[in-house]
């Protein structure tokens, strides 16, 4: 669903927590904010204890003062509902709000987010606070958006306490209606797990060995819904009292525990927190993927990068600083990929508290610093950005992204036990194998939900679509018939939505060994006989063994192999060695006006590149630069062309490309150059 939110100006600013500072500093802050081009501040995210000082006693005077001060200085406010960190009086008076881990440990107060998403007590107090906040500030001239809670689920994604157990049973009853249906869906005949009533169901707490996979999958779904219910409870009040002010909550990129396709429908605009590790050589592509996800969640509309670190974070084992230029580079990457806002955590680096060494827009050393100078320059540059707010990205390629498959594929209680029955797998690893191949060729990718509209795309990739419903198979099949190029990766179409295996060759197959119309078996023209995965730990320890494929596609592969049989497909490459030597590794099937490709392994970077190039040629899709430059990202957003050099050295653009887009030929290290493609 395409969002319609359009800010009147670009958002630049960050989380602003002045309640942690003496009042005199506030006056200095607003002066510096103006100097840095700040347009929006996110306020009150963790201020519950400062607002509701004791149970039922609210002090808003300081916040009135702050809102007025910001307004008087031309700074708009993204006002948080302040529910992210419950105050001490609540844990003291109502310890039932505290969350519990799956092994029965109750987590204590003393940091933040110490509440169960299913706690009626927490929700009751949160609702009262939200009502007070909204009643008080809904007409404040500084207010530009409501910021619900904060990073819902970032610490407590799944809770196993009694409130959660109760809510899980209610959720199951709503889903299944009768306990017999639940027994069938969970196949409880296995290991004597049949339930006589919903009251017997427990959350999947620590058990002696493998848990029932459908039980665990439903708990993942329930837990995601429980988080969403915290959001909804707040939003309902906001919409009732303040219907004209847009609402958001900050997402966390590819966050496993919330199906953001469901969430995206309930925000007025998508916003995201983004903390790439500057020390990770693969971060440019990974971060680009999160930007593309955010744009896709909003149906292509403007989104806001709600948080990023101006420099280092404080929560990794190694907290690398961002080299000069990287802050701007990552900010421009967000803008290039659809953002209408570049915001930070946080305005002023804390002097004390758990995040005192997390960078801030104003570092400990003050304003005569590289970090502040970079922030100031960027804020002022963004003010002048040519018409980005009105322009959109247009991708011809989509990757199917499915949280349910992610949950099911990686399900297990520990590193030793997996219910997928084969090997430890990485949903994001498989997805990024293909994403990176497009990224390296400057081909823009959207993400789509499994049943999403595919009609705008020429290429669709479905990596690890482990759970595949009938409607999704029809969606993919129709895309191919209509002329699309579809690539399906291994371990797709294995399970139905209840986690039951498709018999008779997988890929949505029927039980009688015949390809059912509209299944992936038919679309791909293959049957799978058996899996022969290769994984670290499969033969002792040691690195992941690599093996090779050859044919139209040549090179190394890893993780997975299998034995498959083409029915109507052509064999494009075979396994040279490994447990499935001689069997097909890549197939393609002409189907309707299009073609459906299947890849039975995790291709190496080189092989993924060959595959993506074959798809691109077949579909007539090309990148902006005909000869891509390593670690250089080129993205068009409307008439703007962004060139982002992630290398620590300068690069040269081809002269004709530079001239066409009005760019200088040299792009310095860690620099983004913005050109224009209008004649
Ligand atoms: C985010 C959070 C912020 C701050 C930041 C530090 O997860 O929303 O409040 O903690 O991380 O990187």
């Amino acid at each position: 669903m395409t969002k319609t939110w359009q800010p009147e100006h670009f958002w630049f600013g960050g989380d602003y927590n002045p309640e942690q500072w003496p009042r005199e500093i506030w006056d200095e802050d607003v002066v510096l904010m103006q100097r840095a081009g700040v347009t929006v501040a996110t306020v009150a995210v963790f201020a519950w204890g400062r607002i509701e000082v004791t149970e039922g006693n609210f002090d808003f005077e300081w916040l009135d003062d702050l809102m007025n001060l910001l307004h008087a200085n031309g700074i708009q406010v993204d006002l948080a509902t302040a529910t992210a960190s419950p105050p001490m009086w609540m844990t003291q008076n109502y310890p039932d709000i505290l969350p519990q881990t799956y092994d029965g440990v109750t987590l204590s107060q003393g940091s933040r987010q110490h509440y169960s998403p299913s706690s009626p007590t927490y929700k009751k107090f949160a609702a009262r606070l939200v009502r007070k906040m909204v009643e008080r500030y809904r007409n404040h001239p500084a207010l530009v958006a409501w910021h619900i809670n904060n990073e819902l689920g970032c610490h407590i994604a799944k809770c196993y306490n009694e409130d959660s157990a109760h809510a899980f049973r209610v959720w199951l009853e709503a889903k299944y209606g009768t306990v017999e249906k639940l027994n069938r869906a969970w196949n409880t005949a296995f290991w004597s797990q049949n339930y006589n009533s919903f009251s017997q169901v427990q959350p999947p707490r620590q058990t002696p060995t493998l848990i029932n996979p459908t039980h665990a999958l439903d708990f993942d779904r329930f837990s995601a819904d429980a988080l969403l219910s915290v959001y909804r409870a707040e939003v309902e009040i906001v919409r009732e009292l303040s219907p004209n002010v847009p609402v958001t909550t900050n997402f966390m990129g590819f966050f496993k525990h919330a199906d953001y396709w469901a969430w995206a429908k309930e925000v007025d605009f998508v916003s995201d927190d983004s903390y790439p590790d500057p020390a990770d050589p693969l971060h440019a592509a990974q971060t680009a993927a999160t930007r593309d996800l955010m744009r896709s969640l909003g149906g292509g509309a403007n989104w806001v990068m709600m948080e990023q670190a101006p420099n280092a974070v404080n929560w990794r084992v190694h907290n690398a600083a961002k080299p000069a230029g990287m802050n701007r580079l990552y900010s421009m990457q967000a803008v290039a990929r659809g953002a209408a806002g570049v915001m930070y955590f946080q305005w002023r680096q804390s002097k004390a508290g758990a995040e005192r060494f997390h960078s801030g827009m104003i570092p400990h050393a003050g304003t005569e610093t590289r970090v502040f100078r970079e922030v100031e320059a960027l804020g002022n540059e963004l003010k002048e950005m040519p018409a980005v707010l009105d322009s959109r990205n247009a991708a011809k390629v989509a990757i199917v992204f499915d949280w349910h498959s992610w949950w099911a594929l990686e399900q297990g209680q520990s590193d030793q036990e997996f219910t997928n029955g084969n090997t430890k797998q990485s949903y994001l690893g498989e997805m990024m194998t293909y994403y990176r191949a497009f990224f390296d060729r400057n081909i823009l990718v959207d993400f789509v939900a499994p049943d999403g509209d595919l009609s705008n795309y020429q290429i669709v990739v479905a990596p690890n679509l482990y759970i595949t419903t009938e409607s999704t198979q029809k969606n993919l099949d129709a895309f191919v018939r209509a002329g699309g190029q579809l690539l399906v990766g291994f371990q797709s179409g294995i399970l139905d939505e209840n986690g039951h295996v498709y018999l008779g060759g997988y890929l949505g197959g029927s039980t009688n060994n015949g390809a059912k119309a509209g299944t992936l078996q038919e679309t791909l023209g293959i049957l799978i006989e058996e899996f022969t995965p290769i994984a670290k730990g499969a033969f002792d320890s040691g690195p992941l063994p690599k093996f090779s494929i050859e044919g139209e596609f040549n090179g190394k592969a890893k993780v997975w192999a299998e034995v498959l049989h083409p029915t109507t497909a052509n064999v494009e490459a075979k396994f040279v060695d490994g447990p499935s030597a001689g069997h097909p590794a890549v197939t393609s099937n002409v189907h309707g006006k299009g073609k459906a490709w299947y890849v039975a392994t995790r291709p190496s970077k080189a092989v993924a590149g060959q595959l993506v190039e074959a798809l691109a040629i077949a579909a007539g899709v090309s990148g902006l630069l005909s000869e891509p430059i390593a670690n250089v990202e080129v993205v068009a957003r409307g008439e703007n062309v962004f060139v982002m050099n992630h290398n620590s050295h300068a690069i040269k653009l081809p002269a004709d490309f530079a001239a066409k887009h009005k760019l200088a030929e040299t792009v310095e290290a860690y620099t983004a150059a913005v050109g224009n493609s209008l004649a």
Side-chain angles (χ1 to χ4, degrees):
M1 189 201 316
T2 303
K3 304 278 168 206
T4 53
W5 178 76
Q6 178 87 336
E8 34 180 76
H9 53 72
F10 200 86
W11 282 32
F12 185 75
D15 277 32
Y16 181 40
N17 301 304
E19 65 273 21
Q20 299 168 14
W21 293 93
R23 177 63 180 83
E24 317 74 90
I25 297 246
W26 305 9
D27 294 318
E28 186 189 322
D29 281 337
V30 287
V31 171
L32 290 171
M33 282 183 187
Q34 284 176 333
R35 199 174 120 188
V38 167
T39 58
V40 179
T42 302
V43 165
V45 177
F46 297 106
W48 195 341
R50 180 69 189 80
I51 294 169
E52 192 173 358
V53 184
T54 58
E55 183 177 337
N57 295 312
F58 294 84
D59 171 13
F60 285 109
E61 256 173 55
W62 69 275
L63 192 51
D64 294 349
D65 182 15
L66 179 67
M67 295 286 287
N68 295 339
L69 178 71
L70 288 167
H71 178 61
N73 287 278
I75 294 152
Q76 294 183 313
V77 175
D78 165 45
L79 186 56
T81 50
T83 50
S85 196
M88 292 304 169
W89 57 257
M90 201 186 304
T91 33
Q92 184 186 31
N93 300 347
Y94 309 93
D96 58 287
I97 70 160
L98 293 172
Q100 214 176 73
T101 59
Y102 87 112
D103 50 355
V105 176
T106 297
L107 300 178
S108 185
Q109 63 184 41
S111 64
R112 64 177 178 185
Q113 215 177 85
H114 44 283
Y115 61 86
S116 163
S118 298
S119 164
T121 309
Y122 167 80
K123 281 181 171 156
K124 181 183 84 186
F125 286 116
R128 183 170 71 179
L129 174 67
V130 174
R131 194 164 280 281
K132 294 245 179 229
M133 290 285 285
V134 181
E135 277 169 353
R136 193 164 189 102
Y137 297 110
R138 59 186 157 179
N139 296 321
H140 197 285
L143 180 69
V144 71
W146 289 106
H147 181 108
I148 304 294
N149 209 298
N150 193 62
E151 291 194 341
L152 279 154
C154 87
H155 307 300
I156 307 299
K158 294 196 233 177
C159 170
Y160 296 77
N161 75 0
E162 276 312 310
D163 281 340
S164 297
H166 173 74
F168 183 39
R169 292 178 199 121
V170 170
W171 185 93
L172 289 169
E173 199 159 353
K175 175 169 179 176
Y176 292 110
T178 67
V179 78
E180 290 74 29
K181 279 199 182 145
L182 175 142
N183 281 317
R184 278 199 296 280
W186 290 13
N187 193 28
T188 55
F190 189 82
W191 283 352
S192 193
Q193 291 174 352
N194 49 301
Y195 295 95
N196 307 123
S197 70
F198 286 102
S199 67
Q200 291 175 336
V201 179
Q202 298 290 349
R205 298 193 177 110
Q206 189 157 27
T207 51
T209 183
L210 294 176
I211 196 85
N212 178 317
T214 313
H215 180 178
L217 180 60
D218 268 346
F219 192 69
D220 284 332
R221 291 167 168 154
F222 155 76
S223 299
D225 281 356
L227 291 174
L228 188 54
S229 80
V230 175
Y231 173 80
R232 280 190 184 137
E234 295 194 20
V235 161
E236 210 172 291
I237 298 164
V238 175
R239 296 221 192 273
E240 174 202 326
L241 300 174
S242 175
N244 300 322
V245 178
V247 178
T248 195
T249 189
N250 38 351
F251 292 168
M252 292 165 280
F254 290 95
F255 176 65
K256 186 171 179 183
H257 305 287
D259 173 354
Y260 283 150
W261 294 120
W263 289 62
K265 293 184 188 142
E266 309 202 20
V267 296
D268 292 320
F269 62 98
V270 170
S271 62
D272 188 43
D273 294 355
S274 176
Y275 291 97
D277 183 354
D280 177 353
L282 300 177
H283 58 167
Q286 278 156 0
T287 313
T290 66
R291 317 269 192 244
D292 290 345
L293 176 68
M294 293 307 138
R295 181 187 65 249
S296 304
L297 288 169
N302 276 310
W303 58 279
V304 168
M305 174 160 60
M306 193 59 98
E307 291 182 21
Q308 65 171 337
N311 195 13
V313 300
N314 68 318
W315 39 260
R316 290 198 174 95
V317 177
H318 174 68
N319 296 302
K322 287 187 175 166
M326 196 181 269
N327 172 9
R328 177 173 173 276
L329 185 61
Y330 273 100
S331 302
M332 286 301 178
Q333 186 192 52
V335 180
R337 293 177 185 271
V342 165
M343 309 275 287
Y344 296 89
F345 179 86
Q346 60 178 330
W347 167 248
R348 201 178 265 279
Q349 183 170 22
S350 294
K351 180 173 158 27
E355 295 185 324
R356 66 200 160 171
F357 291 112
H358 189 289
S359 57
M361 296 160 80
I362 303 181
H364 289 151
T367 51
E368 293 312 307
T369 51
R370 169 181 76 89
V371 168
F372 187 73
R373 278 192 290 274
E374 287 190 19
V375 163
E376 189 181 358
L378 180 64
N380 288 299
E381 180 182 359
L382 287 169
K383 272 193 200 154
E384 312 296 322
M385 271 305 276
V388 281
L389 297 179
D390 295 319
S391 57
R392 300 283 178 269
N393 304 95
K396 295 281 162 230
V397 178
I399 292 181
V400 179
F401 197 85
D402 179 33
W403 268 267
H404 298 253
S405 289
W406 190 1
W407 296 330
L409 189 80
E410 294 181 0
Q411 191 175 72
Q413 295 187 67
S414 71
D415 279 355
Q416 273 72 47
E417 297 178 341
F418 308 103
T419 56
N420 70 38
N422 298 293
T423 183
K424 188 167 185 179
Q425 294 189 39
S426 163
Y427 185 78
L428 290 186
E430 181 63 8
M431 181 279 280
M432 282 305 298
T433 299
Y434 291 101
Y435 181 89
R436 192 167 291 124
F438 289 107
F439 175 85
D440 286 346
R441 287 159 182 77
N442 300 304
I443 298 175
L444 188 72
V445 170
D446 277 351
F447 289 92
V448 280
D451 288 343
D453 179 3
L454 305 177
S455 58
N456 286 331
Y457 304 109
Q458 256 118 55
I459 299 173
V460 169
V461 177
N464 274 162
L465 197 56
Y466 189 46
I467 290 190
T468 316
T469 62
E470 284 188 13
S471 65
T472 299
Q473 294 182 68
K474 294 212 167 89
N475 194 30
L476 297 173
D477 191 75
F479 168 74
V480 180
R481 282 180 192 278
Q485 300 287 320
L486 171 71
L487 184 150
V488 175
F490 68 90
Q491 288 287 276
S492 294
I494 306 296
L495 303 179
D496 70 12
E497 55 265 59
N498 288 327
H500 294 207
V501 174
Y502 284 116
L503 302 179
Y506 304 109
L507 300 168
S510 64
T511 47
N512 52 8
N513 282 343
K516 213 155 87 181
T519 64
L520 284 175
Q521 276 188 7
E522 194 200 27
T523 318
L524 296 163
I526 56 170
L527 299 171
I528 297 168
E529 183 182 335
E530 64 171 306
F531 309 140
T532 54
I534 302 192
K536 189 155 78 178
F539 332 114
D540 294 326
S541 49
L544 214 51
K546 283 198 176 176
F547 48 99
S548 303
I549 66 168
E550 68 178 15
E552 290 299 313
F553 305 99
N554 288 286
K556 297 279 178 207
K558 56 185 172 176
V559 177
W560 195 261
E562 59 194 24
V563 177
L564 68 83
H565 302 287
T567 50
T568 55
N570 288 320
V571 177
E572 300 274 355
K574 288 185 172 178
F575 291 107
V576 177
D577 45 13
S580 290
H583 287 281
V586 180
T587 60
S588 72
N589 191 39
V590 176
H591 186 61
K593 295 186 191 144
K595 207 182 226 190
W597 305 70
Y598 181 73
V599 183
T601 187
R602 164 90 58 91
S604 62
K605 189 175 173 209
V607 176
Q610 295 164 22
L611 287 162
V612 157
E613 277 167 21
L615 292 175
I617 289 169
V621 170
S622 54
L624 281 170
L625 262 188
S626 45
E627 290 292 321
I629 306 170
N631 300 317
V632 174
E633 201 183 335
V634 183
V635 180
R637 176 176 180 180
E639 68 196 48
N640 301 295
V641 174
F642 295 76
V643 177
M644 282 148 297
N645 179 12
H646 295 275
N647 292 295
S648 55
H649 55 262
I651 54 109
K652 276 243 177 269
L653 293 171
D656 55 342
F657 177 85
K660 182 171 168 204
H661 300 294
K662 303 181 195 67
L663 288 155
E665 275 177 43
T666 303
V667 184
E668 298 299 336
Y670 300 130
T671 299
V674 187
N676 191 294
S677 53
L678 281 192

PDB file of all heavy atoms in Angstrom, residues 504-506 526-531 562-565 583:
ATOM      1  N   GLY A 504       5.565 -35.452  -2.166  1.00  0.00           N
ATOM      2  CA  GLY A 504       5.605 -35.712  -3.614  1.00  0.00           C
ATOM      3  C   GLY A 504       6.496 -34.758  -4.377  1.00  0.00           C
ATOM      4  O   GLY A 504       6.130 -34.281  -5.445  1.00  0.00           O
ATOM      5  N   GLY A 505       7.667 -34.468  -3.850  1.00  0.00           N
ATOM      6  CA  GLY A 505       8.618 -33.650  -4.602  1.00  0.00           C
ATOM      7  C   GLY A 505       8.723 -32.207  -4.137  1.00  0.00           C
ATOM      8  O   GLY A 505       9.317 -31.369  -4.820  1.00  0.00           O
ATOM      9  N   TYR A 506       8.174 -31.898  -2.992  1.00  0.00           N
ATOM     10  CA  TYR A 506       8.235 -30.532  -2.421  1.00  0.00           C
ATOM     11  C   TYR A 506       7.677 -29.490  -3.414  1.00  0.00           C
ATOM     12  O   TYR A 506       6.868 -29.842  -4.272  1.00  0.00           O
ATOM     13  CB  TYR A 506       9.656 -30.162  -1.985  1.00  0.00           C
ATOM     14  CG  TYR A 506      10.237 -31.159  -1.007  1.00  0.00           C
ATOM     15  CD1 TYR A 506      11.261 -32.030  -1.382  1.00  0.00           C
ATOM     16  CD2 TYR A 506       9.757 -31.241   0.302  1.00  0.00           C
ATOM     17  CE1 TYR A 506      11.789 -32.954  -0.480  1.00  0.00           C
ATOM     18  CE2 TYR A 506      10.284 -32.165   1.198  1.00  0.00           C
ATOM     19  CZ  TYR A 506      11.298 -33.005   0.802  1.00  0.00           C
ATOM     20  OH  TYR A 506      11.814 -33.914   1.684  1.00  0.00           O
ATOM     21  N   ILE A 526      10.313 -28.919 -12.133  1.00  0.00           N
ATOM     22  CA  ILE A 526      11.225 -29.872 -11.467  1.00  0.00           C
ATOM     23  C   ILE A 526      10.526 -30.535 -10.283  1.00  0.00           C
ATOM     24  O   ILE A 526       9.507 -30.040  -9.780  1.00  0.00           O
ATOM     25  CB  ILE A 526      12.505 -29.183 -10.928  1.00  0.00           C
ATOM     26  CG1 ILE A 526      12.143 -28.026  -9.971  1.00  0.00           C
ATOM     27  CG2 ILE A 526      13.386 -28.684 -12.053  1.00  0.00           C
ATOM     28  CD1 ILE A 526      13.340 -27.474  -9.223  1.00  0.00           C
ATOM     29  N   LEU A 527      11.090 -31.641  -9.830  1.00  0.00           N
ATOM     30  CA  LEU A 527      10.711 -32.293  -8.572  1.00  0.00           C
ATOM     31  C   LEU A 527      11.979 -32.452  -7.756  1.00  0.00           C
ATOM     32  O   LEU A 527      13.050 -32.676  -8.330  1.00  0.00           O
ATOM     33  CB  LEU A 527      10.162 -33.697  -8.828  1.00  0.00           C
ATOM     34  CG  LEU A 527       8.920 -33.866  -9.679  1.00  0.00           C
ATOM     35  CD1 LEU A 527       8.702 -35.346  -9.960  1.00  0.00           C
ATOM     36  CD2 LEU A 527       7.720 -33.287  -8.944  1.00  0.00           C
ATOM     37  N   ILE A 528      11.857 -32.365  -6.452  1.00  0.00           N
ATOM     38  CA  ILE A 528      13.048 -32.566  -5.614  1.00  0.00           C
ATOM     39  C   ILE A 528      12.929 -33.918  -4.920  1.00  0.00           C
ATOM     40  O   ILE A 528      11.918 -34.203  -4.271  1.00  0.00           O
ATOM     41  CB  ILE A 528      13.179 -31.429  -4.575  1.00  0.00           C
ATOM     42  CG1 ILE A 528      13.383 -30.096  -5.306  1.00  0.00           C
ATOM     43  CG2 ILE A 528      14.345 -31.710  -3.631  1.00  0.00           C
ATOM     44  CD1 ILE A 528      13.249 -28.889  -4.425  1.00  0.00           C
ATOM     45  N   GLU A 529      13.969 -34.708  -5.053  1.00  0.00           N
ATOM     46  CA  GLU A 529      13.906 -36.038  -4.440  1.00  0.00           C
ATOM     47  C   GLU A 529      14.463 -36.040  -3.021  1.00  0.00           C
ATOM     48  O   GLU A 529      13.858 -36.554  -2.105  1.00  0.00           O
ATOM     49  CB  GLU A 529      14.676 -37.050  -5.296  1.00  0.00           C
ATOM     50  CG  GLU A 529      14.587 -38.458  -4.745  1.00  0.00           C
ATOM     51  CD  GLU A 529      15.390 -39.456  -5.571  1.00  0.00           C
ATOM     52  OE1 GLU A 529      15.610 -39.209  -6.776  1.00  0.00           O
ATOM     53  OE2 GLU A 529      15.799 -40.482  -5.004  1.00  0.00           O
ATOM     54  N   GLU A 530      15.650 -35.462  -2.853  1.00  0.00           N
ATOM     55  CA  GLU A 530      16.206 -35.443  -1.495  1.00  0.00           C
ATOM     56  C   GLU A 530      17.187 -34.282  -1.304  1.00  0.00           C
ATOM     57  O   GLU A 530      17.710 -33.735  -2.271  1.00  0.00           O
ATOM     58  CB  GLU A 530      16.882 -36.768  -1.149  1.00  0.00           C
ATOM     59  CG  GLU A 530      18.082 -37.101  -1.993  1.00  0.00           C
ATOM     60  CD  GLU A 530      18.841 -38.313  -1.456  1.00  0.00           C
ATOM     61  OE1 GLU A 530      19.208 -38.314  -0.263  1.00  0.00           O
ATOM     62  OE2 GLU A 530      19.100 -39.240  -2.244  1.00  0.00           O
ATOM     63  N   PHE A 531      17.408 -33.964  -0.043  1.00  0.00           N
ATOM     64  CA  PHE A 531      18.348 -32.897   0.312  1.00  0.00           C
ATOM     65  C   PHE A 531      19.688 -33.519   0.694  1.00  0.00           C
ATOM     66  O   PHE A 531      19.725 -34.512   1.406  1.00  0.00           O
ATOM     67  CB  PHE A 531      17.861 -32.108   1.529  1.00  0.00           C
ATOM     68  CG  PHE A 531      16.444 -31.620   1.441  1.00  0.00           C
ATOM     69  CD1 PHE A 531      15.613 -31.659   2.564  1.00  0.00           C
ATOM     70  CD2 PHE A 531      15.932 -31.108   0.254  1.00  0.00           C
ATOM     71  CE1 PHE A 531      14.310 -31.197   2.500  1.00  0.00           C
ATOM     72  CE2 PHE A 531      14.622 -30.645   0.193  1.00  0.00           C
ATOM     73  CZ  PHE A 531      13.807 -30.694   1.318  1.00  0.00           C
ATOM     74  N   GLU A 562      21.242 -30.801  -3.456  1.00  0.00           N
ATOM     75  CA  GLU A 562      20.095 -31.700  -3.392  1.00  0.00           C
ATOM     76  C   GLU A 562      20.007 -32.518  -4.664  1.00  0.00           C
ATOM     77  O   GLU A 562      20.735 -32.263  -5.638  1.00  0.00           O
ATOM     78  CB  GLU A 562      18.795 -30.916  -3.132  1.00  0.00           C
ATOM     79  CG  GLU A 562      18.471 -29.876  -4.153  1.00  0.00           C
ATOM     80  CD  GLU A 562      17.378 -28.907  -3.667  1.00  0.00           C
ATOM     81  OE1 GLU A 562      17.183 -28.739  -2.453  1.00  0.00           O
ATOM     82  OE2 GLU A 562      16.725 -28.319  -4.540  1.00  0.00           O
ATOM     83  N   VAL A 563      19.118 -33.473  -4.649  1.00  0.00           N
ATOM     84  CA  VAL A 563      18.895 -34.290  -5.839  1.00  0.00           C
ATOM     85  C   VAL A 563      17.543 -33.885  -6.407  1.00  0.00           C
ATOM     86  O   VAL A 563      16.512 -34.028  -5.740  1.00  0.00           O
ATOM     87  CB  VAL A 563      18.899 -35.790  -5.482  1.00  0.00           C
ATOM     88  CG1 VAL A 563      18.587 -36.632  -6.728  1.00  0.00           C
ATOM     89  CG2 VAL A 563      20.246 -36.183  -4.884  1.00  0.00           C
ATOM     90  N   LEU A 564      17.568 -33.325  -7.599  1.00  0.00           N
ATOM     91  CA  LEU A 564      16.299 -32.901  -8.209  1.00  0.00           C
ATOM     92  C   LEU A 564      16.172 -33.489  -9.602  1.00  0.00           C
ATOM     93  O   LEU A 564      17.176 -33.856 -10.240  1.00  0.00           O
ATOM     94  CB  LEU A 564      16.187 -31.378  -8.221  1.00  0.00           C
ATOM     95  CG  LEU A 564      17.103 -30.563  -9.114  1.00  0.00           C
ATOM     96  CD1 LEU A 564      16.613 -30.471 -10.551  1.00  0.00           C
ATOM     97  CD2 LEU A 564      17.208 -29.145  -8.548  1.00  0.00           C
ATOM     98  N   HIS A 565      14.950 -33.560 -10.064  1.00  0.00           N
ATOM     99  CA  HIS A 565      14.680 -34.133 -11.387  1.00  0.00           C
ATOM    100  C   HIS A 565      13.867 -33.159 -12.215  1.00  0.00           C
ATOM    101  O   HIS A 565      12.765 -32.775 -11.795  1.00  0.00           O
ATOM    102  CB  HIS A 565      13.901 -35.443 -11.235  1.00  0.00           C
ATOM    103  CG  HIS A 565      14.623 -36.444 -10.390  1.00  0.00           C
ATOM    104  ND1 HIS A 565      15.732 -37.126 -10.827  1.00  0.00           N
ATOM    105  CD2 HIS A 565      14.429 -36.833  -9.099  1.00  0.00           C
ATOM    106  CE1 HIS A 565      16.178 -37.915  -9.858  1.00  0.00           C
ATOM    107  NE2 HIS A 565      15.405 -37.748  -8.796  1.00  0.00           N
ATOM    108  N   HIS A 583      24.294 -34.223 -10.471  1.00  0.00           N
ATOM    109  CA  HIS A 583      22.873 -33.826 -10.496  1.00  0.00           C
ATOM    110  C   HIS A 583      22.724 -32.340 -10.816  1.00  0.00           C
ATOM    111  O   HIS A 583      23.643 -31.562 -10.597  1.00  0.00           O
ATOM    112  CB  HIS A 583      22.230 -34.125  -9.140  1.00  0.00           C
ATOM    113  CG  HIS A 583      22.006 -35.578  -8.911  1.00  0.00           C
ATOM    114  ND1 HIS A 583      20.950 -36.273  -9.467  1.00  0.00           N
ATOM    115  CD2 HIS A 583      22.716 -36.481  -8.198  1.00  0.00           C
ATOM    116  CE1 HIS A 583      21.012 -37.541  -9.106  1.00  0.00           C
ATOM    117  NE2 HIS A 583      22.083 -37.697  -8.328  1.00  0.00           N
TER     118      HIS A 583
END
